[in-house]
């Protein structure tokens, strides 16, 4: 398989191997906004300040006010509180208490709307897992070299910057990473590739043999077309 081929199975069906492995340096705006709205509704932080905060949300901006500060709310810098609220939740414990990650929210939304997932953060571990465990899944050796040379864009959550008073700008928080497939994974991939090449060669030989037999006038005794059994020996 080439890295620009599409997944036809699994959680990332409809995305290419490259898109899943690398992600996007500019995560989908709709995905980030959906995550922000989800976190406002289901916060992973429970404290006195965050419980008193109210939000107005546009595509890139937030208006945030906190009832604890009364009329001084606009002068209070809430960047740290908001930043913590919007951090990505990727651990098993987070999932158990309902703090869904950006990636899982992306997949859940795609299933609910019967659509293709957005290109979010890179998830090279999924490619590694597919090579190791999914029958028939491998990447061409030349392509796997290119794949491992890619920068992985890790979507770590949402970053927030205060613009003025109670207005904050938000966007994807991206970490830049490199990922190397494990030695076992590379050996498994090479083995799958070689098995596929051998299988294709065998299928071709078998196809050529049967095509000859199906040819009109083919003689199975002398294996010639037309039959040469009655020909006089030229010697």
């Amino acid at each position: 398989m080439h890295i620009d081929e599409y997944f036809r199975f699994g959680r990332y069906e409809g995305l290419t191997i490259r898109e899943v492995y690398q992600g996007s340096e500019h995560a989908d705006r709709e995905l980030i906004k959906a995550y922000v709205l989800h976190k406002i509704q289901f916060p992973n932080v429970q404290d006195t300040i965050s419980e008193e905060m109210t939000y107005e949300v546009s595509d890139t901006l937030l208006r945030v006010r906190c009832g604890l500060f009364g009329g001084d709310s606009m002068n209070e810098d809430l960047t740290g509180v908001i930043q913590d609220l919007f951090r990505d939740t990727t651990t098993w414990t987070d999932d158990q208490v309902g703090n869904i990650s950006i990636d899982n929210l992306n997949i859940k939304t795609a299933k609910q709307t019967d659509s293709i997932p957005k290109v979010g953060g890179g998830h090279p571990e999924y490619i590694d897992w597919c090579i190791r465990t999914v029958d028939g899944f491998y990447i061409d050796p030349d392509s796997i070299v290119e794949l491992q040379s890619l920068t992985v864009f890790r979507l770590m959550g949402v970053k927030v910057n205060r613009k003025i008073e109670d207005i904050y700008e938000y966007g994807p928080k991206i970490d830049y990473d490199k990922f190397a497939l494990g030695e076992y994974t590379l050996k498994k991939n090479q083995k799958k590739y070689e098995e596929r090449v051998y299988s294709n060669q065998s299928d071709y030989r078998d196809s050529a043999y049967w095509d000859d037999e199906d040819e009109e006038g083919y003689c199975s005794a002398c294996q010639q077309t037309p039959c040469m059994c009655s020909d006089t020996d030229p010697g």
Side-chain angles (χ1 to χ4, degrees):
M1 300 177 69
H2 189 270
I3 61 176
D4 290 316
E5 289 189 44
Y6 291 91
F7 274 97
R8 293 181 174 84
F9 65 88
R11 62 191 282 118
Y12 298 110
E13 184 176 3
L15 298 182
T16 67
I17 294 172
R18 183 196 298 270
E19 288 171 334
V20 174
Y21 185 99
Q22 183 176 38
S24 173
E25 189 175 11
H26 308 286
D28 185 87
R29 182 174 295 177
E30 291 182 9
L31 173 61
I32 300 302
K33 182 179 180 180
Y35 183 72
V36 166
L37 292 171
H38 176 82
K39 281 300 184 183
I40 290 172
Q41 185 176 2
F42 304 102
N44 57 284
V45 176
Q46 296 291 342
D47 57 36
T48 304
I49 296 178
S50 61
E51 289 178 355
E52 294 294 326
M53 289 163 58
T54 59
Y55 303 84
E56 295 177 31
V57 183
S58 71
D59 287 345
T60 59
L61 297 175
L62 302 165
R63 169 170 276 139
V64 185
R65 295 182 178 178
C66 182
L68 291 177
F69 301 110
D72 292 330
S73 178
M74 290 191 301
N75 298 322
E76 192 69 28
D77 187 354
L78 300 172
T79 302
V81 179
I82 303 169
Q83 188 82 59
D84 194 36
L85 177 68
F86 294 159
R87 69 176 175 83
D88 197 12
T89 48
T90 58
T91 67
W92 180 86
T93 304
D94 285 324
D95 286 338
Q96 295 306 300
V97 298
N99 292 330
I100 193 169
S101 68
I102 297 177
D103 187 58
N104 286 339
L105 178 64
N106 186 18
I107 301 304
K108 180 180 179 180
T109 302
K111 288 182 178 179
Q112 290 175 340
T113 58
D114 194 25
S115 59
I116 296 172
K118 308 290 187 183
V119 180
H123 196 180
E125 294 83 2
Y126 184 75
I127 306 300
D128 188 286
W129 177 84
C130 286
I131 293 173
R132 289 185 287 106
T133 62
V134 177
D135 289 343
F137 185 92
Y138 68 93
I139 300 173
D140 297 340
D142 290 343
S143 294
I144 211 166
V145 172
E146 180 184 356
L147 192 69
Q148 293 190 102
S149 71
L150 299 174
T151 298
V152 177
F153 304 116
R154 301 279 190 181
L155 182 53
M156 308 303 294
V158 178
K159 64 181 179 181
V160 177
N161 296 307
R162 189 184 190 194
K163 290 184 70 69
I164 185 172
E165 296 181 339
D166 58 352
I167 303 298
Y168 298 81
E169 184 178 37
Y170 73 91
K173 182 181 180 182
I174 304 290
D175 279 358
Y176 300 85
D177 192 18
K178 285 288 186 180
F179 184 84
L181 297 169
E183 182 178 352
Y184 172 80
T185 302
L186 293 173
K187 289 181 178 179
K188 184 81 171 181
N189 187 78
Q190 184 66 27
K191 181 180 179 181
K192 286 182 173 182
Y193 170 74
E194 291 173 354
E195 287 174 348
R196 171 59 66 182
V197 170
Y198 177 78
S199 175
N200 289 343
Q201 290 174 343
S202 296
D203 290 345
Y204 174 78
R205 287 194 296 267
D206 291 344
S207 174
Y209 175 79
W210 290 111
D211 285 348
D212 282 345
E213 285 203 339
D214 291 341
E215 188 175 351
E216 186 177 355
Y218 177 79
C219 175
S220 59
C222 65
Q223 298 184 358
Q224 297 291 329
T225 304
C227 175
M228 305 292 288
C229 294
S230 59
D231 283 10
T232 304
D233 186 346

